[in-house]
Amino acid sequence: MAPHTRRTTFPKVLIERDTDSEQSSSEEEEEEQEEDPPSEEEENEEKIEDSNDPKKKGKATITISLKKVCKVCKKAGHEAGFKGATYIDCPMKPCFLCKMPGHTTMTCPHRVTTEHGVMPAPHKNTQNPVEFIFERQLRPRITSMKPAYAIPDQVNCAAIRYHSRRVTCLEFHPINNHILLSGDKKGQLGVWDFDKVHEKTVYGNIHSCILNNMRFSPANDGTIYAASSDGTISCTDLETGISSSLMNLNPDGWQGPNTWRMLYGMDINLEKGVVLVADNFGFLYLVDTRSNSQIGKAIMIHKKGSKVVGLHCNPVQPDLLLSCGNDHFARLWDMRRLESGSTLYNLEHKRVVNSAYFSPLSGTKILTTSQDNRLRIWDSIFGNLDIPSREIVHSHDFNRHLTPFRAEWDPKDPSESLAVIGRYISENYNGTALHPIDFIDINTGQLVAEVMDPNITTISPVNKLHPRDDILASGSSRSLFIWRPKEKYDVAEQLDTRKIVVFGGDDRKRGKRSKDEYDDDSDDEKFNPKGKNTKAKKSQKETTRYGRKAKR
């Protein structure tokens, strides 16, 4: 008997395209776009239309509509986001840069000139007697004339893929000018001698997740303190890599996100010999560096349940403490009377505050970085702190896949007017989308310099200026870069000194990632309690001229 086969009827498929989308510049490109599969920006919506004829047999017609959907408001009919080096605004939202309606990011006046709307710092003597006495004591250390800026604008050397995950913090050695320390999202601590470019030392058995902050011990320059999202403070010997835990906020291990404490802000009070750290629940902890034990109980210094991402002790008066967090406040404290609700002043912001720092020499100025694309400056901690002296619009409102941007002072600048910060929105430089590192005069809001390299197409959110030399260290993705002034080297020396070192190989296939390296999220990612500490492995390394690919 012949096998019985069931006759099936396939539905008719109609494809509707979005005719309102932007047309290509030539007919050939239009034909190629029709043949290509839909891009990631296109969302497939299937609509099943019922047949008008009830007697008609078979399935109803399926209409597949390929409509471009906005990434910002999730509505069809328009596009928004980056297209190459150009950012297209969503018509339903205000300007992405200044957050004000009425114009687009490309025509924003703050994009044309960073000093737009900024009132320069006044040049007049203070009327406050306390401030006058304070500045009188510091006047011998501060020059009356503003010196010329020395901008490190050329990559001198680089370590590509130095870390296995994105770089989260940088710190220069207090004595050895050519030693750079770096932390990454995996909790590893790197020690790089950029004079001996090819050497690599990474300690991978210190923390189990993000290394958020680190400071050198005031008593021993070979010891580094680090705070991590695993809730521990480590004290590591840089020669041996042996680490000890000073405090562990999660002794019982992973008990869920509601109880897991992560440490973010960190600083050291030199006079008291105390390490100060803050967690993701708004609490401050004090650890004695002599006994390596916690002092007293935790103190709530920010709104309950909010991250305290930054701590900074005043360089002249260490009893003054500056903190900031995601409760939209930067707060000024007196450590001699440190208790919940005893702030000296609350500096209000419109969004999350990524960082807040006193000026490095006088300690009288305050510089903050907020997620509303604003740098805020207070010229005097003795003056009116109700409103900032200046607000500078700058692009650093990032997504969750980056280390937060932080504007930092130049510690060598006697005028205390130069700050450095990476830029989020890319610019078109000879057809290449690059993300510059900006040097800004915080007294006038002017852009002093924007440094970039055509070989660095990734964003550089982590930047650190050397305390003694004209050197800038930047962390971009997993790589480290050292910048020096171009004027100090002639062409022959530049060819000899500009070298790139590639550590390890890229074993991943294009488009695929291992589970451990997938999704370089922010600190709000899911914590993996099963993660184990692994020792740093020796990597293959090759030294080549900068700009050439290393053979693997």
Side-chain angles (χ1 to χ4, degrees):
M1 182 177 178
H4 178 72
T5 58
R6 183 180 177 182
R7 185 177 181 180
T8 59
T9 59
F10 294 94
K12 185 178 180 180
V13 179
L14 298 178
I15 299 179
E16 293 182 355
R17 295 185 180 273
D18 190 0
T19 57
D20 296 334
S21 61
E22 184 179 357
Q23 300 294 329
S24 60
S25 59
S26 63
E27 296 180 357
E28 295 180 359
E29 291 180 358
E30 291 180 358
E31 295 177 357
E32 292 176 0
Q33 288 178 0
E34 292 179 358
E35 295 176 358
D36 291 339
S39 62
E40 296 179 357
E41 299 177 357
E42 298 174 343
E43 182 179 328
N44 296 339
E45 299 178 355
E46 297 186 1
K47 299 179 180 178
I48 302 178
E49 299 179 353
D50 296 334
S51 176
N52 295 328
D53 187 3
K55 297 181 180 180
K56 185 178 180 180
K57 296 182 180 180
K59 297 183 179 180
T61 303
I62 296 178
T63 302
I64 301 177
S65 179
L66 304 180
K67 295 182 179 180
K68 294 186 176 182
V69 179
C70 175
K71 293 181 178 179
V72 180
C73 67
K74 308 301 180 185
K75 294 182 180 180
H78 62 275
E79 295 180 84
F82 283 102
K83 215 170 189 181
T86 304
Y87 183 84
I88 303 175
D89 284 283
C90 174
M92 310 299 293
K93 301 289 183 179
C95 171
F96 181 76
L97 179 57
C98 68
K99 313 299 181 186
M100 299 296 291
H103 58 268
T104 64
T105 302
M106 295 303 296
T107 60
C108 180
H110 297 279
R111 186 184 180 97
V112 179
T113 56
T114 57
E115 66 270 21
H116 177 78
V118 178
M119 294 296 293
H123 298 279
K124 62 180 181 179
N125 295 329
T126 178
Q127 302 296 326
N128 190 324
V130 178
E131 185 178 1
F132 176 79
I133 296 174
F134 196 79
E135 290 188 352
R136 184 72 177 267
Q137 295 174 348
L138 297 168
R139 187 58 57 188
R141 299 168 54 189
I142 301 177
T143 59
S144 57
M145 296 185 63
K146 187 175 179 179
Y149 295 126
I151 305 298
D153 53 357
Q154 177 176 290
V155 173
N156 177 256
C157 57
I160 305 301
R161 292 194 296 275
Y162 189 86
H163 285 276
S164 59
R165 304 297 293 274
R166 61 175 165 86
V167 177
T168 55
C169 56
L170 297 172
E171 196 75 21
F172 282 101
H173 196 279
I175 296 178
N176 296 326
N177 292 338
H178 49 84
I179 299 295
L180 176 67
L181 273 67
S182 56
D184 67 6
K185 185 184 172 184
K186 202 173 182 180
Q188 297 177 340
L189 174 64
V191 183
W192 185 37
D193 186 343
F194 50 84
D195 271 1
K196 305 174 182 178
V197 185
H198 60 279
E199 293 186 1
K200 175 183 178 181
T201 303
V202 176
Y203 300 119
N205 56 346
I206 299 175
H207 293 285
S208 57
C209 60
I210 310 173
L211 199 158
N212 293 309
N213 257 305
M214 54 185 172
R215 295 288 185 274
F216 275 93
S217 169
N220 184 4
D221 55 28
T223 303
I224 189 80
Y225 294 101
S228 169
S229 290
D230 60 7
T232 63
I233 303 175
S234 64
C235 179
T236 307
D237 185 278
L238 297 180
E239 291 292 333
T240 62
I242 299 175
S243 177
S244 60
S245 180
L246 304 186
M247 185 176 67
N248 186 2
L249 299 181
N250 305 297
D252 299 329
W254 177 258
Q255 301 294 330
N258 295 330
T259 59
W260 186 262
R261 294 183 178 270
M262 298 180 282
L263 295 177
Y264 289 92
M266 180 183 185
D267 203 4
I268 296 180
N269 189 309
L270 301 179
E271 284 190 354
K272 298 181 181 298
V274 173
V275 177
L276 300 94
V277 290
D279 66 5
N280 57 323
F281 287 94
F283 287 93
L284 174 70
Y285 304 85
L286 282 71
V287 178
D288 191 344
T289 58
R290 292 159 293 188
S291 61
N292 290 339
S293 60
Q294 183 177 344
I295 303 174
K297 296 182 179 180
I299 306 168
M300 182 176 291
I301 60 173
H302 279 258
K303 183 180 178 181
K304 186 177 181 180
S306 63
K307 296 179 187 176
V308 184
V309 296
L311 295 174
H312 189 216
C313 293
N314 193 289
V316 179
Q317 296 290 337
D319 287 328
L320 289 178
L321 174 65
L322 186 62
S323 64
C324 63
N326 64 354
D327 61 350
H328 303 187
F329 278 95
R331 305 181 190 272
L332 194 61
W333 304 83
D334 187 348
M335 290 193 61
R336 293 167 295 188
R337 194 172 67 92
L338 193 58
E339 57 187 23
S340 182
S342 63
T343 56
L344 298 177
Y345 224 94
N346 298 319
L347 310 178
E348 187 176 3
H349 294 67
K350 293 182 180 180
R351 289 186 62 188
V352 174
V353 187
N354 293 339
S355 65
Y357 298 108
F358 290 109
S359 52
L361 297 179
S362 68
T364 58
K365 299 180 181 180
I366 294 177
L367 170 64
T368 66
T369 308
S370 178
Q371 280 291 88
D372 60 354
N373 276 346
R374 298 294 192 278
L375 303 180
R376 290 178 172 84
I377 300 95
W378 283 263
D379 285 334
S380 174
I381 58 176
F382 303 106
N384 182 17
L385 298 179
D386 291 335
I387 58 174
S389 305
R390 280 171 303 285
E391 289 187 2
I392 302 173
V393 176
H394 180 266
S395 175
H396 50 260
D397 181 10
F398 66 100
N399 59 22
R400 66 192 300 265
H401 301 277
L402 292 173
T403 302
F405 291 85
R406 300 182 180 95
E408 296 197 6
W409 301 90
D410 183 357
K412 306 179 299 299
D413 177 25
S415 64
E416 296 182 330
S417 61
L418 187 64
V420 61
I421 184 173
R423 191 189 304 179
Y424 178 65
I425 293 181
S426 59
E427 301 289 348
N428 191 351
Y429 295 96
N430 298 325
T432 305
L434 301 179
H435 302 265
I437 301 172
D438 294 331
F439 288 82
I440 300 176
D441 187 339
I442 57 99
N443 285 341
T444 61
Q446 293 181 352
L447 182 64
V448 177
E450 51 181 9
V451 299
M452 79 288 294
D453 191 284
N455 296 291
I456 306 176
T457 57
T458 51
I459 304 173
S460 303
V462 187
N463 300 281
K464 196 78 173 181
L465 285 167
H466 200 284
R468 295 170 297 276
D469 290 341
D470 295 329
I471 294 175
L472 169 67
S474 62
S476 183
S477 186
R478 297 182 290 160
S479 305
L480 302 176
F481 299 91
I482 297 296
W483 304 71
R484 295 179 186 269
K486 188 184 299 183
E487 301 173 354
K488 289 189 175 183
Y489 302 93
D490 56 21
V491 177
E493 289 178 344
Q494 290 175 15
L495 294 175
D496 292 336
T497 57
R498 294 185 68 196
K499 295 182 179 179
I500 181 173
V501 181
V502 180
F503 291 94
D506 195 356
D507 298 331
R508 298 171 297 169
K509 295 181 180 179
R510 182 171 296 181
K512 295 183 179 180
R513 294 184 180 181
S514 63
K515 183 179 179 181
D516 189 38
E517 294 183 347
Y518 183 75
D519 190 19
D520 245 354
D521 295 343
S522 68
D523 303 342
D524 292 327
E525 65 176 355
K526 295 181 179 179
F527 178 79
N528 183 13
K530 297 182 181 180
K532 297 182 180 179
N533 297 339
T534 56
K535 294 184 178 180
K537 297 181 180 180
K538 293 183 178 179
S539 303
Q540 300 175 355
K541 37 189 176 287
E542 300 182 16
T543 305
T544 62
R545 300 248 183 212
Y546 189 78
R548 291 173 52 191
K549 293 184 178 179
K551 297 181 180 179
R552 300 185 183 90

